[in-house]
Amino acid sequence: MSDDDNSPISAREARRLFAGLKRAPALVLAVSGGPDSVALMWLAARWQRSLARGPRLTVVTIDHGLRREAAREAREVKRLATELGLPHRTLRWRGAKPKTGLPAAAREARYRLLAQAARAVGASHVLTAHTRDDQAETLLMRLLRGSGLAGLSAMASLSERDGIVLARPLLEVPKAQLIATLRRARIGFADDPTNRDTAFTRPRLRALLPLLAAEGGDARTLVRLAARLARANAAVEVLADGAERFLRLRDRGDAPQAGVRSFEAATFAGLPEEVRLRLLLRAINALGHEGPAELGKIESLLAVLDQAIAASPRAGANGRLAMRQTLAGALISLAGGRIHIAPAPARRRKGG
């Protein structure tokens, strides 16, 4: 992108941003009416017109039912989409809204509805307008939550959700450039006051960014850090893949049990700590039935497991149970010199 954060995005730069999507059959554009998503719609429409045969574009607006202005903003998005020759749909998040964790619940509902819209029009991708500023804020949020290496990689340019690819073509673009692009094109956009509501974490961190920038921690630097962490995370994933294959080779003579993952304890204990954490996380998430396991709980589990293995080089080798613990709907045990991970028995309901 241009080094000038306040310069409009040229047609040539837009072609580069969307280049990897030109062979998709159809794309859904998530457009709320704010400057980022309106710029995404305008840039995508201009890019599509430049192609001899481009993807079909459908604009989708999600009305979360949280603000009175949302319906009017959706109508304005529809008006602009129609001017650009694009079909538009408004989908509403219906039902009761939670009293706590509202931003996370709204995000889950938004992605669920966008995936449904994509399947309905035969789209392979949903495009969102996350920017470089959003990436920097996401890194800070996850840093403050104590996320691991995977979390600190922040948002990926491509990811999969509900069988649909989420694409973020503007992830390298500063918000200021999108606003400059709309101003040059004389296109209006909505201003969502919740983006400044300090009752929520992201707006509070957004207000801190100018102070961090004055100390050298601007959005460009934070995004570069996230990219480096993503690179490191990808390398560790390759190591974890190799460790998984190595552990399976050690079990060549033993037929694996269906619905159970098992590791030779002594060999497992010799692997790097980060690799061991990932192997446990993969197995528990695959076999558990209570949702993704939290990293902190996996770390606590590994500490208990390491202590049990260290108590004797062949802990539980006589067949006696050396450790047993449940986590995220998975049962983890150490016996016979092996670590076993299996689905945990269903919890009994009280009074049942």
Side-chain angles (χ1 to χ4, degrees):
M1 294 303 300
S2 167
D3 288 336
D4 182 0
D5 286 357
N6 296 296
S7 64
I9 297 171
S10 68
R12 182 179 179 181
E13 288 173 326
R15 282 195 298 272
R16 184 185 70 80
L17 292 172
F18 296 107
L21 299 165
K22 65 181 179 181
R23 297 191 186 280
L27 304 171
V28 160
L29 310 178
V31 182
S32 65
D36 304 348
S37 61
V38 169
L40 171 71
M41 175 171 60
W42 188 81
L43 289 166
R46 184 174 65 171
W47 162 73
Q48 184 206 42
R49 288 195 301 270
S50 72
L51 300 174
R53 177 182 281 181
R56 302 186 312 277
L57 302 183
T58 299
V59 179
V60 175
T61 302
I62 306 299
D63 182 350
H64 295 91
L66 300 174
R67 295 185 302 113
R68 237 179 305 177
E69 304 87 351
R72 176 180 53 79
E73 291 165 3
R75 289 193 298 271
E76 185 59 25
V77 172
K78 182 176 183 177
R79 182 193 64 76
L80 180 55
T82 302
E83 287 180 7
L84 294 170
L86 302 178
H88 175 272
R89 293 183 63 192
T90 297
L91 300 179
R92 290 173 177 81
W93 179 27
R94 302 188 185 280
K97 309 298 188 289
K99 293 183 179 178
T100 59
L102 183 60
R107 184 171 58 251
E108 286 298 314
R110 179 165 63 252
Y111 283 125
R112 185 180 68 252
L113 290 169
L114 288 168
Q116 289 173 7
R119 285 190 287 271
V121 298
S124 55
H125 296 65
V126 168
L127 274 58
T128 66
H130 291 103
T131 65
R132 189 171 75 188
D133 305 65
D134 296 317
Q135 184 77 312
E137 293 162 12
T138 298
L139 173 65
L140 288 176
M141 288 178 71
R142 295 183 181 180
L143 180 67
L144 295 175
R145 289 174 184 166
S147 293
L149 192 57
L152 294 175
S153 302
M155 293 181 283
S157 57
L158 293 173
S159 58
E160 188 273 337
R161 193 183 185 103
D162 297 331
I164 300 294
V165 178
L166 287 180
R168 301 177 177 94
L170 307 181
L171 209 49
E172 299 177 3
V173 181
K175 185 186 189 80
Q177 268 201 289
L178 298 179
I179 292 175
T181 301
L182 293 178
R183 284 179 175 159
R184 172 170 287 185
R186 296 182 179 179
I187 294 173
F189 50 84
D191 176 29
D192 183 351
T194 59
N195 287 329
R196 298 185 300 277
D197 188 347
T198 54
F200 301 115
T201 304
R202 191 176 284 271
R204 290 198 299 272
L205 290 177
R206 188 173 295 141
L208 288 176
L209 279 172
L211 298 175
L212 292 175
E215 299 297 331
D218 61 5
R220 191 188 298 268
T221 301
L222 293 172
V223 168
R224 188 183 303 124
L225 172 60
R228 288 170 175 165
L229 292 169
R231 191 171 64 209
N233 182 61
V236 178
E237 279 291 285
V238 171
L239 292 176
D241 290 342
E244 212 162 25
R245 288 193 295 270
F246 175 67
L247 288 168
R248 282 200 299 268
L249 285 172
R250 297 281 300 180
D251 298 337
R252 199 177 313 177
D254 300 323
Q257 288 180 263
V260 176
R261 294 196 184 180
S262 178
F263 308 130
E264 186 182 68
T267 307
F268 177 86
L271 296 171
E273 184 177 359
E274 180 67 21
V275 171
R276 284 181 285 144
L277 284 168
R278 291 182 187 228
L279 294 180
L280 287 175
L281 186 64
R282 289 179 182 187
I284 290 169
N285 285 346
L287 297 171
H289 48 77
E290 293 180 3
E294 295 176 22
L295 178 58
K297 292 182 178 180
I298 293 283
E299 289 169 335
S300 298
L301 169 67
L302 182 61
V304 172
L305 193 54
D306 283 347
Q307 190 173 22
I309 295 171
S312 170
R314 288 182 55 77
N318 57 4
R320 294 175 62 184
L321 195 65
M323 188 214 101
R324 177 186 171 98
Q325 189 169 318
T326 58
L327 176 59
L331 175 64
I332 303 94
S333 59
L334 176 64
R338 299 188 65 82
I339 301 161
H340 302 278
I341 302 165
R347 295 175 188 266
R348 291 183 179 177
R349 294 183 178 179
K350 289 183 179 179

